[in-house]
Amino acid sequence: MQRRIVSLWFPRLAAERSLRARPVDAPFALSLFDRNSERLYDLCPRAESFGLNRGMTLVHARSFCPGLLTRPADPAADQRFLRLLARWATRYCPWVGLDGRNGLFLDITGSAHLLGGEEPLLDDIRARLARAGLTARLGLADTPGTAWALSRFAEGIAGTGETLARIGPLPLSALRLSDQTCTSLERLGIATVSQLYNLPRATVARRYEPDVLRRLDQALGALPEQISPLGEEPGFAVRMTLPDPIGLLDDVMAAARRLTAHLCQRLDIAQKGARSLKLTFRRVDQENQAVELKLARPMRDPERILALFERGVSAVDAGYGIDMIRLEATEVEPLGMRQLDRTEGLEKDGLDDLITQLGNRVGLDNILRFQPVDSHIPERSFKLVPAAYSRPAQAWPANRPRPIRLFAPEPISGTGFEPPRRFRWRGRALTVFEAEGPERITPAWWDLDDSWAKGLRDYWRIATHQGQRLWLFHTPQHPAWFVQGEFG
């Protein structure tokens, strides 16, 4: 039986995934920080109609399309979504593999007749994805390489034995060659696959890397190319069915202790840590009650996990008794072995457990910590990030003294280029007895920030007779004085 491969390509996977969650009626794009600037990662057709393209800086894109709406890209979420699509694609064949960050390979050998043939199968895939709001391009051929080329450059079906005829007129990039290799061949007048095929193989082998002939042979079927199917993710769940119903807290915790020990043992073997856990109790009246626990760090220590579960378990209504308990790690992350001294380990574990306990009451995303940012602009020298998904900074940059408290600039009266000797701030009359400065900070010319509309700033550190140690700045281009921070 002749092998038949479908290449399924999603040209706007990231943007359409985001729009499925939160639709907008405007030009839309996803942005990602790359090469020292915010750049377009993916965009919708409406944004493309303004001349925007992937890799363009966000500032440049807004000059073309002032009404552009953007969101931060999430490549990890895109990959999770692609894996979900791969699982969905198993309805057409049992052998599905990933193709980069926005494509799938389906080996439909022996499966097409179940839907009436190859064309009805492709039509069904295309129609279902269109109803889900996803743009897809499909190619069907005898080899993965040819199917890939058709999905990107000439969507359709290549019949058995038609491989070279279908991909021959296509550009060299249809062979999945690097841009540098394609440019080098095009300079010699080799612009299509058929022109490369007609060259003496010995000449190509001497002048170019082996990947050129390998990709050509794979596309034509002279070299085999395997599709690696997705492996099943291991599940981390344990359950216990009880011969007699239980209802006392001590009995429930004893059963939970046994389940937690078994689950953590499996996590340890897989070198994983639980990030989210769900403990489900089935009562004899077939009602279920669940206790969910979100952890600030990946964890597989049974005693610590059990202690964090205790508060939620105590609130469970056992009714006429519980006859089944199930513990599942609903979210896991890699967690290798680490060696710490006992004092350091206890200190970090205690903080993580505190964040977990508070986070399960108010939400882990609401417990924040400060992180340094490499910026000379005071307002941008730090950021707030969820403590559960970050680590404290080892050291903060200390090139220049900075105040402990930083707030929005507050105007004060003053003239000249040196700090005023007397001024009023927050209703108090202050007298300066020591001043150190200036430190000039210039705004970024490429970033239009309204708070820096007055231009560059000259910062001073002052001490007052009343005990305040303040951070003042002067704007020489539009003369005025402001207080922006207070030292401890």
Side-chain angles (χ1 to χ4, degrees), residues 4-7 105 138-159 162-168 170 174-176 193 215-221 225:
R4 301 294 280 170
I5 306 296
V6 173
S7 174
F105 281 127
L138 294 90
L140 174 58
D142 295 339
T143 64
T146 299
W148 188 95
L150 293 177
S151 66
R152 269 71 173 178
F153 297 92
E155 187 177 10
I157 300 175
E162 298 178 355
T163 299
L164 183 59
R166 288 300 305 271
I167 69 171
L170 301 182
L175 293 177
R176 296 174 287 176
V193 175
R215 286 301 192 186
L216 178 63
D217 290 341
Q218 285 178 341
L220 299 178
E225 183 177 1

Side-chain angles (χ1 to χ4, degrees), residues 45-57:
R46 192 168 171 181
E48 288 179 342
S49 66
F50 286 86
L52 310 186
N53 54 70
R54 294 168 183 81
M56 177 185 289
T57 62

Side-chain angles (χ1 to χ4, degrees), residues 172 177-186 208-209 211-212:
L172 294 173
L177 299 176
S178 66
D179 293 340
Q180 183 179 1
T181 301
C182 293
T183 302
S184 177
L185 285 164
E186 288 168 0
Y208 293 97
E209 56 191 15
D211 198 49
V212 175

Side-chain angles (χ1 to χ4, degrees), residues 34 37-40 53-62:
D34 181 39
S37 61
E38 199 76 15
R39 297 179 181 272
L40 299 189
N53 54 70
R54 294 168 183 81
M56 177 185 289
T57 62
L58 187 56
V59 174
H60 192 194
R62 290 197 187 281

